[in-house]
Amino acid sequence: MKLNQNQQEAVDYIDGPTLVLAGAGSGKTRVITTKIVSLIKNHNYLPETICALTFTNKAAAEMRERITAEIGSDMAKRLTVCTFHSLGLNILKKEHLHFGLGTNFSLFDQFDTFKIVRDIIREHHPILTVDDSEKNAALEALEKISMWKGQLLSPENLNQTAAHAQIYKRYQAYLKACNAVDFEDLIFLPSLLLKTDADARERWNKYFKYVLVDEYQDTNETQYQLLCILTEVYKRFTVVGDDDQSIYSWRGARPENIKTLSIDFKNLKVIKLQENYRSTPNILNCANALISHNPHLYSKHLYSHQFDEGSLIRVISLEDENAESERVASEILGNQYLTKRKWSDYAVLYRSNFQSRSLEKAFHESRIPCVITGGTSFFEQSEIKDLLAWFRLLCNPHDDAALLRIINVPRRGIGEATIATLTKAAKLTGKSIFHSALNPAVTKDLHTKQQAALGDFMRVFIRLQSKINTDKGLWLTEHILDELKYEEYLRSNSESRMAIEAKIKNVKQLLSWIQKLIVGKRNEKGLTFIEAIDRLGLREMLDRQDDNSNNDAVQLMTLHAAKGLEFSMVVLVGMEEGILPHKSSIDLPHGIEEERRLAYVGLTRAREDLIITYCKKRHNKNILEDIKHQGPSRFLEELPAELLDRSNLPSKSQEAQKFSSIDTALEDLLKAFS
């Protein structure tokens, strides 16, 4: 398809900083990929001098695939197309000495960091748990640490007497002792280095001659600083975003970065993409009317050249959440019967996860296949965490979190007393637990059985680590299950044969992924074993919510998870005060604005059919009493009345399905008596 005028302008302009305001469904990914191809083919940019940054591995993979189709795999391999965090990891690998890190440093996940902070609070700040649980105290501390890193603040920049600042300092010291970093460090540390070290900044200033950023509205302060540093010399970049789809302020995103960009770069070129290729005019006009109630630095108005205005947006009032769920199931069942759409063409969107429970029940009773996006991640399965911990430890023996997870997996008789002895010695020396296990002065006081069990673990570890470079690490992927007797361990610790087989299937899938990363594929070169483990560790953190299955099923998901997706028919449930907008956001500064953007994202996921529901009352135990009767959402009143169908009558498709069911029943009855 030919680019429209504004899309072509966004591709052609390369002389300075560029902001592309791309509305929902306006073809932003196509603009980015086309621009990269144009930089190479028409402007003689070398692929290795171009960097394209995204927020998910899925988006990066899609972008690379499109580019590969245009320029070939050999040239595409030379491009940097990755997430912000992947770029940060690459910088850390190259500059690790500046941070006192070894080459094989570990990446700690949320489970690891939670345990570290919880233990710090237990030992040094028990006062924080007087009025709260250990879990909540640890989570609050982690939230503050994440916020500070997102603002490019190190412990030294904070009030050293404050408890959370002290926790932050001890936490960073522990990470360093383990030769490890956390997820936020992947951007925090490189940004801090490039901001404070002139030599490093000069090296990386000249590394990329052109930088592109997707979903710019989701950048935080640190990511913005990284962009500025990377483009300091050439000042040639294109950021693509939509301030109306900024819905992640709770995790540090700053929609105001759009305004900051216009202040810091006076020659900023602003190009608007307003033609929508996804939704009907009626849906777009509803979305435009809703979002017009938010303030804008740059105004935009989505439009479509479709001749058919499309169906009215149906608004359905129900008695309670059970009636709502049954009606949604019935509407989808009837529509699917008439249109013969795939089940995956339907999505039910909600503000909070608890709303999925009654929906799942209704869909099950109606025999509608459905999948809840955001369920337990593949990487959250215990068997996957076990094997990844083993691989992490083989790559970095000083990864305490990994060692503590698998020192007794499979079981070999290493008890709490042994672990306590090793951990205590590690804290006293400031070195790793593995170092303590190698120290005769520490292990001499263990009982004979304890020494034997620990010795057995060390022998297994040393044998496996000696194979880390054998056949590029492929030997480990082929033999580790046998070496650890891990399948036997799973069979002895699973409740049913079905559970055992599922776990074995999972671990073999993981090993297959590692093998593919090492071997490489058509448009990507193979990785070393250590690089492959790093990649999977990062993938775990970035893609916890990604649904990579190809199941033909109705998608049940939160509005946050729906961003970037589209469906033929969307049902937006729970359009009530206290639900959407959420009760917790109503009194926050700019809270209503973000909730309105969230509703806007929901509306613009629909291509053809859109249904909005709300309940007169809710009985869900997870909702506070004062939420139950607050009435329809204020956002409903902001939609144009002439574009809404509030009749509350069943749709034609629902009626057709009902009569079809009657006909089918009669046919079955006649067959029974024939």
Side-chain angles (χ1 to χ4, degrees):
M1 187 173 65
K2 186 179 178 183
L3 297 176
N4 65 40
Q5 184 178 346
N6 288 355
Q7 289 174 330
Q8 191 65 56
E9 184 183 10
V11 168
D12 292 340
Y13 185 77
I14 65 167
D15 294 330
T18 309
L19 167 64
V20 180
L21 283 174
S26 62
K28 65 180 179 63
T29 303
R30 186 161 177 255
V31 166
I32 293 173
T33 55
T34 304
K35 186 158 192 171
I36 292 172
V37 173
S38 178
L39 286 169
I40 296 169
K41 288 187 174 181
N42 301 329
H43 302 282
N44 300 318
Y45 275 74
L46 296 174
E48 53 269 29
T49 66
I50 300 171
C51 175
L53 298 171
T54 70
F55 279 87
T56 68
N57 286 324
K58 187 176 180 181
E62 181 186 349
M63 198 177 292
R64 183 177 289 278
E65 189 174 327
R66 292 193 189 186
I67 295 168
T68 300
E70 294 291 330
I71 64 175
S73 59
D74 290 341
M75 197 168 287
K77 287 178 184 177
R78 295 158 56 190
L79 287 165
T80 298
V81 182
C82 63
T83 64
F84 271 98
H85 292 88
S86 295
L87 176 65
L89 180 61
N90 185 36
I91 296 174
L92 280 183
K93 288 285 185 182
K94 288 182 167 60
E95 306 283 352
H96 64 94
L97 292 176
H98 287 273
F99 309 105
L101 294 169
T103 53
N104 298 340
F105 61 83
S106 294
L107 179 58
F108 281 7
D109 64 12
Q110 290 175 322
F111 180 79
D112 301 326
T113 58
F114 172 81
K115 288 199 300 183
I116 295 167
V117 171
R118 182 198 61 194
D119 290 346
I120 291 172
I121 290 173
R122 278 179 181 175
E123 186 172 353
H124 299 283
H125 305 277
I127 190 70
L128 294 177
T129 64
V130 171
D131 298 321
D132 210 343
S133 67
E134 279 189 346
K135 180 180 178 181
N136 288 340
L139 290 174
E140 183 182 358
L142 280 169
E143 187 177 342
K144 285 186 178 293
I145 291 170
S146 178
M147 178 190 69
W148 285 326
K149 289 185 178 183
Q151 296 172 346
L152 213 56
L153 296 173
S154 59
E156 294 72 28
N157 301 129
L158 304 171
N159 179 3
Q160 296 298 301
T161 61
H164 285 115
Q166 293 175 16
I167 293 170
Y168 183 15
K169 186 176 182 178
R170 290 190 171 98
Y171 171 75
Q172 289 299 99
Y174 187 90
L175 289 180
K176 190 173 182 179
C178 292
N179 190 34
V181 296
D182 65 18
F183 189 62
E184 282 76 18
D185 281 336
L186 296 181
I187 298 184
F188 169 65
L189 291 177
S191 298
L192 197 62
L193 171 70
L194 299 181
K195 189 175 181 180
T196 57
D197 189 301
D199 292 337
R201 185 164 63 252
E202 185 177 358
R203 280 196 303 276
W204 286 93
N205 278 166
K206 297 176 180 178
Y207 202 88
F208 300 117
K209 292 185 177 180
Y210 206 98
V211 178
L212 303 98
V213 178
D214 191 16
E215 303 290 1
Y216 174 72
Q217 77 281 347
D218 294 335
T219 55
N220 61 21
E221 173 66 23
T222 309
Q223 288 159 342
Y224 177 73
Q225 292 295 331
L226 185 59
L227 170 67
C228 292
I229 292 167
L230 289 175
T231 60
E232 192 173 42
V233 172
Y234 299 105
K235 291 185 171 53
R236 293 187 174 186
F237 62 81
T238 295
V239 300
V240 183
D242 182 6
D243 52 340
D244 291 331
Q245 296 188 72
S246 180
I247 57 176
Y248 295 118
S249 66
W250 50 274
R251 68 183 190 194
R254 288 167 45 91
E256 56 265 40
N257 280 350
I258 289 177
K259 183 178 181 179
T260 305
L261 198 68
S262 67
I263 296 171
D264 292 345
F265 297 90
K266 302 298 184 184
N267 62 332
L268 180 69
K269 176 83 168 178
V270 180
I271 301 170
K272 300 177 186 179
L273 303 184
Q274 300 179 99
E275 184 174 357
N276 177 283
Y277 296 93
R278 175 188 301 159
S279 306
T280 65
N282 280 346
I283 292 173
L284 293 179
N285 289 333
C286 268
N288 286 329
L290 176 69
I291 207 64
S292 68
H293 291 268
N294 275 4
H296 292 85
L297 179 64
Y298 303 105
S299 63
K300 65 179 183 299
H301 186 88
L302 295 182
Y303 65 91
S304 170
H305 285 308
Q306 292 186 37
F307 293 108
D308 186 0
E309 295 294 318
S311 304
L312 296 178
I313 286 72
R314 297 179 59 222
V315 179
I316 303 175
S317 170
L318 288 309
E319 283 299 313
D320 56 25
E321 69 278 0
N322 293 324
E324 178 183 56
S325 298
E326 291 170 5
R327 179 64 177 269
V328 171
S330 181
E331 290 284 347
I332 290 176
L333 197 61
N335 187 277
Q336 198 275 339
Y337 174 81
L338 277 188
T339 64
K340 307 303 179 188
R341 288 169 172 161
K342 295 189 297 184
W343 293 113
S344 55
D345 286 330
Y346 299 86
V348 184
L349 309 182
Y350 38 81
R351 177 62 176 83
S352 302
N353 279 307
F354 76 84
Q355 294 171 265
S356 68
R357 295 169 189 169
S358 60
L359 288 163
E360 188 178 18
K361 178 177 178 289
F363 277 54
H364 178 73
E365 291 175 348
S366 299
R367 298 185 179 182
I368 300 174
C370 67
V371 59
I372 299 178
T373 300
T376 304
S377 163
F378 174 83
F379 291 99
E380 287 296 303
Q381 307 294 332
S382 61
E383 64 274 15
I384 300 302
K385 293 181 81 69
D386 285 347
L387 276 190
L388 280 179
W390 262 105
F391 289 143
R392 282 168 49 190
L393 192 68
L394 292 172
C395 295
N396 174 20
H398 305 296
D399 186 335
D400 280 1
L403 185 142
L404 289 172
R405 181 174 184 91
I406 53 81
I407 193 169
N408 212 28
V409 176
R411 293 194 181 95
R412 53 180 54 85
I414 298 176
E416 291 182 6
T418 303
I419 294 171
T421 298
L422 298 177
T423 303
K424 184 179 179 181
K427 286 182 177 180
L428 288 172
T429 61
K431 296 183 177 180
S432 68
I433 296 173
F434 187 85
H435 185 273
S436 297
L438 292 174
N439 188 350
V442 175
T443 59
K444 67 180 177 64
D445 295 329
L446 297 174
H447 296 304
T448 304
K449 285 186 177 179
Q450 293 174 319
Q451 289 180 348
L454 186 60
D456 177 56
F457 169 76
M458 296 301 288
R459 281 189 293 275
V460 171
F461 174 84
I462 291 169
R463 171 167 167 76
L464 290 174
Q465 197 186 45
S466 70
K467 301 291 187 179
I468 200 166
N469 293 317
T470 301
D471 196 16
K472 298 175 66 177
L474 290 173
W475 188 95
L476 280 173
T477 65
E478 293 168 357
H479 295 89
I480 193 165
L481 297 183
D482 292 335
E483 292 286 322
L484 295 178
K485 297 181 174 55
Y486 193 75
E487 285 195 34
E488 296 175 21
Y489 168 73
L490 289 177
R491 294 184 189 280
S492 63
N493 287 275
S494 298
E495 297 178 357
S496 67
R497 185 177 63 83
M498 188 176 294
I500 293 168
E501 295 308 316
K503 289 177 181 292
I504 291 173
K505 183 180 178 183
N506 283 345
V507 298
K508 289 184 176 179
Q509 178 67 67
L510 175 67
L511 296 173
S512 174
W513 284 352
I514 296 172
Q515 290 168 357
K516 288 177 181 177
L517 288 172
I518 293 172
V519 173
K521 55 185 181 180
R522 183 170 61 91
N523 59 340
E524 289 184 7
K525 65 178 183 180
L527 306 178
T528 66
F529 180 80
I530 293 173
E531 289 171 339
I533 301 306
D534 285 340
R535 177 78 63 84
L536 283 176
L538 189 55
R539 176 174 177 171
E540 172 191 359
M541 297 181 189
L542 287 169
D543 289 345
R544 291 180 191 271
Q545 304 302 315
D546 276 2
D547 178 20
N548 295 316
S549 68
N550 294 315
N551 294 337
D552 185 22
V554 178
Q555 306 293 304
L556 309 183
M557 64 180 68
T558 65
L559 287 160
H560 286 99
K563 188 169 173 288
L565 304 177
E566 58 182 79
F567 305 90
S568 295
M569 178 172 171
V570 168
V571 185
L572 179 52
V573 301
M575 188 67 88
E576 303 145 39
E577 285 291 302
I579 303 290
L580 183 66
H582 195 275
K583 182 177 182 293
S584 63
S585 301
I586 290 176
D587 296 325
L588 294 177
H590 310 296
I592 291 296
E593 292 173 16
E594 177 139 346
E595 292 291 301
R596 186 176 285 112
R597 291 195 292 267
L598 199 54
Y600 173 84
V601 166
L603 299 183
T604 54
R605 297 314 92 194
R607 289 194 293 263
E608 300 169 29
D609 297 309
L610 176 61
I611 297 176
I612 299 172
T613 69
Y614 67 92
C615 297
K616 297 175 183 177
K617 57 184 179 183
R618 285 189 183 268
H619 303 290
N620 197 295
K621 295 178 181 179
N622 291 295
I623 303 182
L624 299 175
E625 195 70 31
D626 60 350
I627 292 180
K628 292 180 182 177
H629 304 287
Q630 292 195 37
S633 169
R634 69 188 71 188
F635 299 151
L636 279 174
E637 299 307 311
E638 295 173 0
L639 303 180
E642 67 274 13
L643 299 180
L644 306 181
D645 176 3
R646 290 178 174 266
S647 65
N648 222 33
L649 296 172
S651 66
K652 292 181 179 178
S653 61
Q654 188 187 7
E655 287 291 323
Q657 189 275 330
K658 180 174 72 172
F659 288 117
S660 169
S661 299
I662 294 171
D663 292 340
T664 302
L666 288 172
E667 288 176 8
D668 292 341
L669 190 64
L670 289 170
K671 287 177 183 177
F673 286 97
S674 62

